[in-house]
Amino acid sequence: MTLLLHEQNQQDRLFKQDAESHADLIKRVCNALKIDLSSDENFVESMPFSDNDATCGCENEFQATVMGSSYNVDLPIIIRESSCYKNLLKRSKRDGENGKKIEGFEKYLNSSTYESAYDSSQPLLPILPDSKIPLQNDHNDFTDVWENSWVRFPKELLNLYASQILDSDLYFDKQNPSAGYRKDINSFFIKKDGREYLRIPVSYLLKLALANAVGSPNIHSSLRTTAKKMMSCYINDNSSPEILSFFPSPLKIAARRGIKAVRETAVRFLLIQILTNYANRRFKLIENGQKAMVYFASHAPHRQKEFNTVIPDAFYRELFMSPCLSGWDQGEYKMAYMHICHRVLSRSRLNAVSKLKDAGIITSNLVVLPNISDVSLANNGTHISIGSKKISKLLKEDSADFKISDEKYLGDLSIKICEHFLPLFVGTYSAAPYRLDFEDFHPENILGFLPHELDFTHLRMIWREWRKKANLKIFSQPITPFGPETLDQFIRKMFSLKGDIIPDFRLIDYFAAVMSTDENSVLNGKEGNEKKLAMDLQDMGIFDARMSLYMLLRLRKTSVHGFSGIEARYYSTFESLFNDLGDAIQIQRLIMMLAWKYILEEKITHDDIPDTPEVESERRQIFFGSAIGIKTVFIKEKSPNKFLQTILSTLQQRTKLTKSVRYTGYYKLKIKDYLIALLDMIEKDGAALIKPPEISRCVKDLRKRIESPVGNQVYNRMISEILQKENVKDPMNMRAEDFNQACERYLRDDLRKKHTAEGLRILEEDIQMLDLWASFRDPDCRAVLSSILGKDESASNFLSKHKENLLNESLTEDILEKLIQLIVLTVSRNIDFTSGNI
């Protein structure tokens, strides 16, 4: 007994010391950050991430597509030439096996505009060598779509500068050319008709197009210098083009399109469209039956997902994973890392089946096993990083008053607070609508990575609510698919089971956030905790310790990234860069500041939000529930999460909390009520933060999106535009495959053109300023502008003259080249402004 009392006294003393050390830490940090407590206004202005302190940058992942006949485009050609496909054909011819797999190959290889060529009663398609593949000469008929295909064109079409960039990127180590070239260098070149062809991903095509456009010997040297900096932002590591902001922007309070990060993103997207059109013409892709396209689309293409079910995982990686030519000094190592990620995520899908069985969601041994190859790395999102100049400065100066450990401790705490607000963003500012038929509702497939992101209790709750939302019932009895496809289709038709549509499928189909273990948490504020958690997850067989931990919000460390801040990774596709991206950035920054306000006022500590899997899961279930579109979640009446209890107290001021009948000890909580409670907290606790008129407008607009979603939320606007184009009133009246392909067409055509037009509006404004600088203030700018257009034409007149053809994608190669150079010049001016050189 004496020993037990002694141990208890020691724990009490340690608790007091921790409480005192937390208070002392906050006091020291406030002094280091020069927090001014003399008034609310001064307090807000002196906080991290305030109007004078914040910076912002975006990382966008895009969908790349090549359109053209399956006999002209690289991807189907490579598939037909592959040993995998040839072996299937030969074995089928010899033994009559693999009929379904061959049918899957043929369904993919023969576009939806043609009937499948596979018929077991007919002779198999001939395998033609590359030199004998017929070229489809109708260049205007690009009806076949090949997402994530590579392109091929004669290498001789590159000018000297672009060839030098290519040669450099093919080095095994770009910092050490003496190490020679990559071992896989031959995979980027083919011989055809006595000519050497280059074959590369579209993601790398963009970089080469930029290099080629500034590669003329008589181009002004400053343009090439800026373009070289821009090329470093063209990275690609998964499947799709991944392009970073060309420069970090000061994040000032401004009206939507006035936000620097929004303007930069819009012009960067416009440049992507111009580069793609330039490459199509300059490298004679269109002449050779290929047309590249790049646009925003968040989840893996429908046809690619179908094809993935019939191919081995190694062949999937060969076809769809990026070779990492750009953005990495040792591209082969990065490519090997991405292959590790793909193998690990594929294995995680399989491991999730046993978790579902342990959770009681799978109640028998009859399951549809997930494919051994996972497509989740083909999902594309937008990551928005907001940094603090003053915290970054203190850490770079190695200040004794603000340490690396403080960055971790406070950063983790602010992330835990912010995670409670993330459901406000889902479907509201970005979305990825997806339709599911009844036969898709196998929990082992549809629940994605949720078994690794939520604990069993919340996983069961979400699954029940999802089935309820989808009305998966026959004679009032719940039902899920049995497995045999023909049986499930018969049941769907017989009982009119329509399935479901969800607001953001990317967040369900992607490993968005790892869950802590009982031993280690990723957000406990301690240095090295990420590595410990990664090792735990590796031991469980669902992760690899070499991989970066997936998070909804991730701390950006000064020692690693060069700035201190937080990266938001939960955005999918924005319907409008002006209205949606702009407001999302402002609200993201507002919530980050509110979290820091709670911390600096000592209202919330790490102890208030315990670092346990159950507490993490409790708050994240609301986020994932919002992505699915369910109406209700369940919260413990006596949740150990004190901050969540505070939110519920705010909710109680509006409506009475209802106790769950099914789940004893839980509140039954409508997600919409929870979101409105969050808004009430923002308006009350963040009153000083939302005083600026533009921030107040953002909050009012957010309330409108939450309370009246139809016509206001991105998800609803996207659905409306898709249905209008398809002349359908209800998405549930369309088959899942039909709706999802209609959604892909909408993203590829309509939304791409809308984003292009938004980028053009910003470019017009930047060009006007460029003319002013060239005319009155900056002779260097005038000299560069003259080198592009000549002395007698202004940039504004040039753009106005070619605006319509730019939007119609009918500009000639030389005009496109000049437009690229003009954008490079505007980027150069913006970089100078940002760095303070002007």
Side-chain angles (χ1 to χ4, degrees):
M1 178 64 72
T2 303
L3 181 61
L4 289 174
L5 287 173
H6 175 71
E7 289 179 352
Q8 183 63 48
N9 289 335
Q10 277 190 322
Q11 290 176 1
D12 290 343
R13 283 197 298 272
L14 285 172
F15 176 78
K16 291 177 181 177
Q17 288 173 3
D18 286 344
E20 291 169 357
S21 65
H22 176 82
D24 289 342
L25 182 149
I26 296 299
K27 183 178 180 180
R28 172 170 52 79
V29 165
C30 284
N31 289 333
L33 295 174
K34 298 181 180 178
I35 302 297
D36 189 343
L37 301 174
S38 60
S39 67
D40 287 344
E41 183 178 299
N42 291 338
F43 179 45
V44 170
E45 289 181 357
S46 62
M47 283 179 60
F49 308 106
S50 64
D51 194 47
N52 296 316
D53 181 58
T55 59
C56 183
C58 297
E59 175 184 335
N60 303 105
E61 298 165 341
F62 299 96
Q63 180 62 57
T65 290
V66 181
M67 304 185 75
S69 162
S70 67
Y71 292 101
N72 295 337
V73 177
D74 182 82
L75 179 59
I77 290 174
I78 291 297
I79 293 172
R80 284 197 178 96
E81 292 177 343
S82 68
S83 296
C84 180
Y85 179 56
K86 290 177 181 178
N87 286 333
L88 280 174
L89 289 174
K90 290 177 179 178
R91 185 164 183 177
S92 179
K93 188 174 182 179
R94 184 180 69 246
D95 302 329
E97 296 182 5
N98 299 314
K100 285 189 175 181
K101 283 192 175 183
I102 295 174
E103 188 175 4
F105 270 81
E106 293 301 330
K107 182 180 178 182
Y108 183 74
L109 288 171
N110 294 275
S111 168
S112 58
T113 55
Y114 306 101
E115 293 184 4
S116 173
Y118 178 74
D119 183 344
S120 58
S121 65
Q122 298 296 324
L124 294 169
L125 282 178
I127 302 170
L128 300 175
D130 184 62
S131 60
K132 295 182 180 179
I133 290 178
L135 178 67
Q136 304 296 310
N137 293 317
D138 186 358
H139 303 148
N140 296 317
D141 184 20
F142 292 99
T143 55
D144 298 356
V145 180
W146 306 97
E147 292 93 352
N148 297 314
S149 174
W150 291 19
V151 294
R152 47 177 67 187
F153 60 89
K155 183 178 179 294
E156 65 201 39
L157 295 176
L158 294 176
N159 61 25
L160 179 60
Y161 183 63
S163 296
Q164 290 172 344
I165 293 295
L166 172 65
D167 189 68
S168 173
D169 286 333
L170 289 173
Y171 282 132
F172 176 78
D173 184 350
K174 296 180 179 66
Q175 299 301 317
N176 181 23
S178 63
Y181 293 103
R182 294 169 55 129
K183 294 177 182 177
D184 61 351
I185 187 171
N186 290 331
S187 64
F188 305 112
F189 299 95
I190 55 176
K191 291 285 186 180
K192 181 180 176 182
D193 299 330
R195 302 170 74 185
E196 186 177 43
Y197 277 66
L198 178 65
R199 59 177 301 268
I200 52 174
V202 174
S203 54
Y204 189 65
L205 176 73
L206 296 173
K207 180 178 180 179
L208 282 189
L210 177 56
N212 208 88
V214 297
S216 172
N218 57 1
I219 197 169
H220 200 283
S221 60
S222 65
L223 283 179
R224 193 171 295 162
T225 300
T226 300
K228 188 73 179 290
K229 294 177 182 177
M230 294 164 65
M231 286 178 217
S232 66
C233 299
Y234 284 75
I235 64 174
N236 40 88
D237 56 3
N238 292 339
S239 298
S240 308
E242 188 172 334
I243 304 175
L244 310 179
S245 290
F246 293 141
F247 51 87
S249 306
L251 182 52
K252 297 284 188 180
I253 296 172
R256 293 169 165 169
R257 58 188 281 193
I259 299 171
K260 293 281 188 183
V262 174
R263 299 176 68 85
E264 189 276 337
T265 301
V267 172
R268 185 156 39 92
F269 183 82
L270 175 64
L271 176 60
I272 289 169
Q273 301 310 304
I274 298 173
L275 287 172
T276 306
N277 289 329
Y278 175 72
N280 283 332
R281 286 163 172 76
R282 177 68 181 87
F283 302 141
K284 301 189 184 305
L285 296 179
I286 291 178
E287 284 189 26
N288 287 282
Q290 307 163 80
K291 182 180 179 182
M293 299 179 73
V294 181
Y295 50 95
F296 284 105
S298 292
H299 48 67
H302 177 78
R303 291 181 67 241
Q304 185 172 321
K305 292 181 69 173
E306 279 194 332
F307 185 50
N308 183 56
T309 63
V310 298
I311 61 175
D313 60 332
F315 191 42
Y316 176 90
R317 289 190 288 274
E318 179 185 337
L319 293 176
F320 296 113
M321 299 296 288
S322 169
C324 305
L325 285 170
S326 179
W328 319 98
D329 286 338
Q330 296 179 330
E332 266 189 298
Y333 283 157
K334 182 63 179 180
M335 182 179 70
Y337 169 80
M338 294 315 306
H339 284 209
I340 289 171
C341 292
H342 182 258
R343 285 193 292 267
V344 169
L345 293 179
S346 300
R347 182 183 64 192
S348 294
R349 285 272 198 179
L350 290 171
N351 286 343
V353 175
S354 62
K355 281 196 170 186
L356 290 170
K357 193 167 185 179
D358 292 342
I361 292 174
I362 295 176
T363 56
S364 71
N365 290 326
L366 183 63
V367 297
V368 176
L369 283 176
N371 197 39
I372 58 172
S373 177
D374 184 67
V375 300
S376 66
L377 287 174
N379 284 298
N380 305 309
T382 290
H383 304 163
I384 299 175
S385 295
I386 298 180
S388 167
K389 289 186 285 188
K390 62 167 61 179
I391 293 178
S392 302
K393 184 172 182 290
L394 287 169
L395 290 169
K396 288 177 181 178
E397 293 174 348
D398 200 18
S399 169
D401 294 325
F402 197 101
K403 308 168 186 175
I404 293 176
S405 58
D406 299 329
E407 180 187 36
K408 174 64 176 169
Y409 180 86
L410 297 171
D412 281 1
L413 180 53
S414 68
I415 288 174
K416 288 197 291 187
I417 297 169
C418 289
E419 278 193 358
H420 293 78
F421 292 88
L422 296 191
L424 288 169
F425 293 86
V426 180
T428 310
Y429 293 114
S430 71
Y434 198 74
R435 179 82 168 80
L436 296 154
D437 276 328
F438 165 74
E439 52 264 40
D440 296 319
F441 271 82
H442 295 281
E444 57 270 26
N445 285 332
I446 200 174
L447 288 174
F449 292 95
L450 287 179
H452 303 315
E453 298 170 305
L454 299 173
D455 72 5
F456 290 164
T457 301
H458 300 125
L459 192 60
R460 286 192 293 265
M461 291 173 173
I462 276 187
W463 178 234
R464 184 178 182 277
E465 291 300 311
W466 195 352
R467 287 184 299 164
K468 181 179 175 182
K469 173 183 177 246
N471 196 27
L472 301 182
K473 291 182 179 179
I474 297 178
F475 303 129
S476 301
Q477 295 299 313
I479 186 173
T480 52
F482 293 93
E485 189 174 347
T486 53
L487 175 61
D488 291 337
Q489 290 174 350
F490 173 77
I491 292 172
R492 169 175 54 80
K493 293 175 183 178
M494 176 65 69
F495 297 99
S496 299
L497 300 173
K498 294 188 175 182
D500 193 20
I501 185 168
I502 67 175
D504 200 325
F505 187 64
R506 170 184 168 266
L507 297 175
I508 304 301
D509 201 42
Y510 183 67
F511 206 157
V514 298
M515 186 169 61
S516 295
T517 62
D518 291 305
E519 288 293 320
N520 291 295
S521 165
V522 71
L523 294 172
N524 62 8
K526 298 176 182 177
E527 287 290 328
N529 59 342
E530 299 101 326
K531 190 66 177 177
K532 292 179 181 177
L533 176 59
M535 291 299 296
D536 278 0
L537 297 174
Q538 178 173 280
D539 292 342
M540 295 164 64
I542 62 175
F543 213 68
D544 190 295
R546 291 169 290 184
M547 296 166 58
S548 299
L549 291 176
Y550 296 119
M551 301 283 292
L552 298 172
L553 292 166
R554 190 157 67 183
L555 185 64
R556 310 303 276 176
K557 298 180 180 180
T558 304
S559 59
V560 178
H561 304 99
F563 73 97
S564 183
I566 292 176
E567 177 190 38
R569 301 169 58 84
Y570 46 80
Y571 295 110
S572 294
T573 299
F574 297 96
E575 195 268 337
S576 167
L577 298 178
F578 289 171
N579 300 333
D580 303 316
L581 175 59
D583 279 11
I585 290 173
Q586 294 284 34
I587 295 296
Q588 179 184 331
R589 194 260 295 269
L590 171 62
I591 289 170
M592 289 171 61
M593 290 187 68
L594 181 60
W596 271 82
K597 183 174 183 289
Y598 287 138
I599 294 170
L600 296 178
E601 291 176 343
E602 299 185 54
K603 290 183 178 179
I604 300 176
T605 69
H606 274 284
D607 292 334
D608 294 324
I609 309 175
D611 297 292
T612 65
E614 295 79 12
V615 171
E616 268 186 6
S617 179
E618 186 175 45
R619 66 177 181 261
R620 289 178 183 172
Q621 64 159 331
I622 310 173
F623 174 83
F624 290 117
S626 299
I628 294 169
I630 60 176
K631 304 297 182 184
T632 306
V633 291
F634 300 88
I635 304 294
K636 272 189 176 181
E637 293 178 30
K638 297 180 180 179
S639 172
N641 185 342
K642 294 180 182 177
F643 184 61
L644 184 56
Q645 292 285 11
T646 302
I647 298 172
L648 297 184
S649 298
T650 304
L651 176 57
Q652 266 186 313
Q653 296 173 16
R654 277 185 171 265
T655 184
K656 184 178 179 181
L657 290 176
T658 304
K659 293 187 178 182
S660 171
V661 176
R662 176 175 292 273
Y663 305 110
T664 305
Y666 283 83
Y667 289 122
K668 183 179 181 180
L669 185 66
K670 291 182 179 178
I671 291 180
K672 186 173 182 178
D673 290 341
Y674 175 84
L675 299 181
I676 292 172
L678 292 177
L679 288 169
D680 290 344
M681 284 186 67
I682 291 172
E683 291 175 346
K684 180 183 176 182
D685 298 343
L689 301 173
I690 63 176
K691 277 186 178 180
E694 184 57 29
I695 301 300
S696 177
R697 184 205 59 77
C698 282
V699 174
K700 290 177 182 177
D701 176 79
L702 176 55
R703 185 177 287 278
K704 186 177 178 182
R705 293 178 189 234
I706 298 299
E707 294 181 345
S708 305
V710 177
N712 294 310
Q713 286 191 359
V714 165
Y715 164 63
N716 283 277
R717 298 205 307 266
M718 283 184 171
I719 294 292
S720 177
E721 291 176 21
I722 294 167
L723 295 182
Q724 183 177 1
K725 189 172 182 180
E726 297 298 314
N727 197 25
V728 178
K729 293 184 178 180
D730 187 346
M732 303 308 293
N733 292 334
M734 299 178 69
R735 286 293 313 279
E737 181 176 355
D738 295 335
F739 176 86
N740 293 331
Q741 290 191 347
C743 182
E744 290 176 7
R745 287 193 297 271
Y746 159 74
L747 297 170
R748 187 170 61 243
D749 299 327
D750 301 75
L751 198 59
R752 180 178 62 88
K753 291 176 181 177
K754 178 175 182 175
H755 291 152
T756 301
E758 288 182 323
L760 183 57
R761 288 175 63 186
I762 300 301
L763 181 62
E764 286 178 303
E765 296 171 3
D766 286 352
I767 289 292
Q768 289 173 3
M769 290 300 300
L770 197 64
D771 280 336
L772 287 174
W773 278 95
S775 299
F776 303 108
R777 299 187 182 182
D778 192 339
D780 291 336
C781 179
R782 182 165 60 251
V784 179
L785 193 57
S786 296
S787 72
I788 299 172
L789 302 177
K791 296 181 179 180
D792 299 328
E793 185 164 23
S794 71
S796 298
N797 288 339
F798 177 82
L799 185 59
S800 177
K801 187 164 45 177
H802 298 291
K803 175 180 176 180
E804 185 176 346
N805 287 336
L806 171 58
L807 293 173
N808 293 333
E809 300 180 4
S810 58
L811 288 175
T812 58
E813 177 188 320
D814 59 326
I815 300 299
L816 289 167
E817 192 169 282
K818 291 179 185 297
L819 279 172
I820 293 168
Q821 294 169 6
L822 280 175
I823 292 178
V824 172
L825 180 55
T826 64
V827 170
S828 174
R829 307 306 293 172
N830 279 308
I831 290 175
D832 287 340
F833 272 114
T834 303
S835 61
N837 293 339
I838 294 179

